[in-house]
Amino acid sequence: MWITPEEVVLKNALKLWVTDKSNDYFLLQHRRGHGDSGGKITGLLVGALDTVLDSNARAAPFRIVLHVPGSQVSWVIASGATIEEVLKHWKWLDQNILPYMAVFENKEDAASFVQGKVKGLIAEEVLGGQAAGEDDPARFREDLARFEQRFGLPQREKLVTHYSCCCWKGHVPRQGSLYLTTNHIAFYSFLLGKEVKLLVPWAEVTRLERVSVGLLTDVIRVHTRRKQREFSMFLNVDEVMKVMCQLADIALRRLLDSGGLTLDKSLQDSTNITKRVLEEQALRQYVLSLFGLPRSERLREVMSCSVWTPHARCHTPGTVYTTDGYLCFGSREEGPCTLIIPLAEILCIEKAESTSALPNPVIISVRCKRAFQLIELLHRDELVENVRDRLRALHWEQNMIRGHDQRKKSTISTTPYYTFCYDTVQSDEEDSSVIISDKALRHTVISTFHPSQSDSNHKTCNTEQVRERLWDDHFTEFGRGVHMFRTDKIRNLVALGIPESLRGELWLHFSDASSSLAAHPNYYADLLEKCRGETSIATEEIERDLHRSLPEHPAFQNETGISALRRVLTAYAYRNPTIGYCQSMNILASVMLLYTKEEEAFWLLVTVCERMLPDYFNRRVIGAQVDQSVFEELVRERLPELADHVPDLSPLASASLTWFLTLFVSVLPFRSALCVLDCFFYCGIRSIFQIGLAVLDANVAELSSCTDDGHALMILTSFLEQVRHEDESHVCPEDAGASQHLHITTLITEAYEVCVCRAASSRDTVTHICTPEMKKTKFGSVTVKHLEMLRCRHRVQVLQAHEDTTKDNALRLVTPDVSLSQENLSELYDLFKTEHFISLYWGDGVCSSGSVLPATGSCPERYLVDRAQFKSLYELLAPWICGTHTDTVAQRTFTLLDQDRDNLINFSQFAQMLDVLYCEELNEKIRLLYRLHIPPALSENEEDSSPLKSPVLSSTRPLYVNLPNGESKSYEEQLQQMLQDLNKGKEKDEEKPLPHMNQREFIQFCKTLYSMFQGEPCEAELFQAIGMVTSLVLQIGEARHREDASRDAGESDAHWSVSFEQILASLLTEQVLVNFLERPVDLSAKIASAKTQQYQERAGLLMIQHAAGR
């Protein structure tokens, strides 16, 4: 391998290197001690020195040095693992460089010429290799060469990065290199003559965690299903952990049944994944989660800047992020100041005059006659031009959709929570010519839900008016709409509860659903028209759950509310068939309908399902389970007292699944749940984590003393039922004797950095916002960045848990049909799955789509293998190796198993085939061999590619057999008796008779038997026995042929043929054949051998195929 010229001093280097060849300008050297027999101490010490002192681990044993006569400094220009590799470079130098060196009068010019040529060769290799997209291509190319040399994997194995670290085996550390690829973790170490190689597929990694082991505090522990490995001594352990979690997450999403999880297009092709791409993807995911942007948004520019905040009368430093459709700002610390500006709201973006006080300012004007000022933009011109280009494209698209004369419709609903609003949406139960009247509907709901006069209502009204005034003041100072400044003050206002008249508007703005509504006019009405009359599994599930959606609420006790909910859920199921309908969507949609118009509720549901809670509402609710696992870790991290008393937190985390899926709506009283929803639409899923932690924190003492899981769940259920809204001044009759209720604002205060100060009477509350110094809770520091990091790590555990379930279901399906042990069956499943993965790793992608099925109840098997993969497994696991004929037998076996002719077989078929070969009786083994030599396994036009010669068939051998009692009995008599016994067994087991075998097929059958016996200790006896059987069967076939010909005199269609029973009976007459076919073969040993050979053989074969293809 050509390497970037490195200076060396030969005087010192000669102590470690020995020169093998030399000329006027070049030296070919090998590492001292390399290749010495007997393991001399010199080679051992030099190898150990390479590992300890060189961060890239062991140095290459051969190298070429450029040496200018008279100079003390030389340059290493090539290195290699083998002498052949270096000799190829030496030959190239001798033919293409050395003849031209004499033209240089100045020796330094000659050295510069050689170095330039070598760098040019390296650049050509980099452009066509994996290193092209790396920050340091030359260095990465050298690392890649070492990786390929040490592990011998195909070139399609994409190396992402590598680190110098230490791998622990017990208490023994081994210093070496950790290579992270798109499919594997690889570790290499060479110390004191002992070489250590570890290759762990990401598909086998079940958990990644940072732990402390003894005095080492930053240890990364990698868990697999069989063992765990620990790595330490990293320069930047945070970076390594982040990259490992990302690669494991991406690999499992690509390889396993991810239950509908989405994977970014840039990551679907593993050859495109680099360390830089991973960093960009992590930042993009963080930005999307922090600002609640659509998952399809691409991150464009990221720049440090400061924004003018009128409420603070100063510039707030932070970072501006631009995407396809948004311009967002976040302060340096997450939370104090956030700004989201949809590009659709921007009228213009302009550069202002730069001054010392306002360097590089940019003015952004929006539709509501407000402007935002950004300063200290390092690349201001680039930002402005790029945003202007996107604005022009967006405005052109909007004009095409809406038309120049169409006016923007208002997206704000000022209706209270107890009123539905519809524009022109008809009830499914009414005639299409009838339009629902807003006035009539409002009157119906008011009369059924909201009493007209009450002292408590009067008091609630006064509180609402106070809150409305506070929000009006806030709008005046901070703005109104999606692009309002989001600060600690607005978060505190949200924590106190949003006024009923503003709730719908603020939900739409906080979630940015109003932007989606404005960008898609008439989309909902068109969707309803398209899905009218459509039926599916989703619509059936929706109908079952309609009357379970807030059944206690009057709005959903009549057909009007039920019809609106039906339309919203059905429209979404039609829009997103991948999700369709999932339980708990009905609960969320019903609450949304209480505060927004029907179309607004639809877009709110879209925003929640696709932006705020991605991957929650899919086939396996993977997202909710991941957050449930994250919540369990947060409990251990933030509530150590509870974790110490309750070591197993899984029951408490399981209870939280409902909290996440329904956002506490199904477990809290309705008015209290609305406050939680207020926080969710403002802060996102982080608020649910924080409130969940506050719930557990309020019950630490009771939960710590629980004796069983049921008691703990009862405590939480009782606590949540008693959380009341402060406006609820009356107590329900059934709660009259209960203890004092906890107010929802108090619970949210415990979760947020908010202080709510009360007067003497809790009924007459006076609220104001306190400074952060007055109260700092332990849950307010839960950040989006921390949650995203935990999600990435815990997604690996959740996906692997689902994979274990898929495997258990597949084994449960196969077990009744086979006699293989559960242990062997499990190991066979792993081999089968690994073979499938190998094709995805390094194949041509043929099986990446067609051979992957989602594991469902009716079809729990997900992995399929094609013909080439089956051939590899057959050669590793077949009990009888047929030499050069093995490939032919494997091809016929696959054809026989592939009953639906799609060139794929599943694990059940594979396991049943091995069960016959290893566990069934002799009759079934011979039946399988027989079926391999008749159609469809053996086609009429198949050409035998086996180099074996056809066996010599003779029908002149004596046909008699000696019985144990000394009698001599003819084969005809013995066969007659065997056929009668077989017919009796056939009557007991009504099995479809097999077709007869013609002479060509019988010859192939004999050839397979001959190939099976080659190399056996009793090979001569077996050949003699099969010769006797062949002669007997030939005579039987000829006799039958003559009989058929005489019976059908004058007809020419009589053929030579024998039946399965005749061949079986003939084979049973030779005890040596019976012993061979019944000889037990240790399947466990075969599996253990296959595990070690599977990677090496498949990798070598694929490397040869790819080389031949080039």
Side-chain angles (χ1 to χ4, degrees), residues 260-314:
L261 288 184
T262 56
L263 183 62
D264 190 77
K265 291 182 179 180
S266 63
L267 304 176
Q268 292 176 359
D269 185 0
S270 60
T271 59
N272 295 331
I273 298 176
T274 64
K275 186 179 177 183
R276 184 191 304 169
V277 169
L278 292 180
E279 292 172 352
E280 293 173 353
Q281 183 64 21
L283 178 59
R284 173 181 175 271
Q285 187 62 41
Y286 167 69
V287 171
L288 296 184
S289 299
L290 178 63
F291 300 104
L293 305 183
R295 300 290 116 178
S296 59
E297 289 291 306
R298 293 173 297 173
L299 191 60
R300 297 291 191 171
E301 292 89 21
V302 179
M303 298 183 187
S304 297
C305 70
S306 295
V307 65
W308 174 255
T309 48
H311 55 277
R313 301 296 187 271
C314 67

Side-chain angles (χ1 to χ4, degrees), residues 712-931:
L713 296 180
M714 289 179 60
I715 291 174
L716 292 177
T717 302
S718 176
F719 172 81
L720 291 171
E721 289 176 350
Q722 296 178 18
V723 176
R724 298 297 186 197
H725 193 278
E726 290 187 346
D727 293 343
E728 295 177 311
S729 56
H730 65 282
V731 179
C732 298
E734 59 271 18
D735 296 336
S739 59
Q740 183 178 1
H741 296 293
L742 177 69
H743 288 156
I744 185 62
T745 52
T746 304
L747 185 64
I748 295 176
T749 299
E750 292 296 321
Y752 283 178
E753 298 172 1
V754 177
C755 182
V756 181
C757 304
R758 294 177 177 78
S761 172
S762 61
R763 300 294 177 87
D764 298 322
T765 59
V766 178
T767 61
H768 65 271
I769 308 303
C770 300
T771 60
E773 290 75 11
M774 296 179 63
K775 185 177 181 69
K776 190 82 170 179
T777 66
K778 51 190 172 184
F779 309 132
S781 59
V782 176
T783 63
V784 173
K785 183 173 291 187
H786 185 53
L787 290 178
E788 286 301 316
M789 184 270 292
L790 292 179
R791 278 176 162 179
C792 186
R793 188 196 308 172
H794 284 269
R795 195 178 293 114
V796 174
Q797 301 180 37
V798 173
L799 289 177
Q800 289 288 21
H802 281 286
E803 178 64 15
D804 292 339
T805 303
T806 300
K807 177 180 178 179
D808 293 340
N809 292 337
L811 297 183
R812 192 178 300 113
L813 178 69
V814 177
T815 299
D817 300 328
V818 299
S819 302
L820 298 170
S821 67
Q822 281 296 111
E823 181 180 358
N824 284 342
L825 204 57
S826 175
E827 298 288 349
L828 288 174
Y829 183 90
D830 292 338
L831 286 172
F832 190 86
K833 182 176 70 172
T834 300
E835 190 66 33
H836 170 83
F837 286 165
I838 288 175
S839 181
L840 297 182
Y841 295 159
W842 310 315
D844 295 327
V846 176
C847 302
S848 59
S849 59
S851 60
V852 179
L853 296 176
T856 61
S858 59
C859 182
E861 297 188 42
R862 179 174 184 264
Y863 304 111
L864 307 174
V865 297
D866 60 14
R867 191 177 294 271
Q869 296 167 316
F870 175 81
K871 173 179 172 293
S872 175
L873 288 171
Y874 184 89
E875 292 175 350
L876 291 171
L877 295 170
W880 307 315
I881 301 301
C882 301
T884 56
H885 197 61
T886 302
D887 180 79
T888 302
V889 177
Q891 297 283 358
R892 293 173 184 169
T893 306
F894 181 86
T895 303
L896 179 65
L897 297 177
D898 183 22
Q899 298 177 359
D900 52 4
R901 299 295 176 261
D902 60 353
N903 285 322
L904 297 169
I905 65 170
N906 58 32
F907 177 69
S908 294
Q909 296 167 324
F910 177 74
Q912 290 171 10
M913 180 270 296
L914 288 180
D915 182 66
V916 172
L917 295 178
Y918 281 93
C919 302
E920 288 290 352
E921 297 179 351
L922 177 63
N923 292 6
E924 293 302 319
K925 295 179 182 179
I926 298 176
R927 176 183 289 273
L928 177 60
L929 288 173
Y930 183 91
R931 294 180 64 192

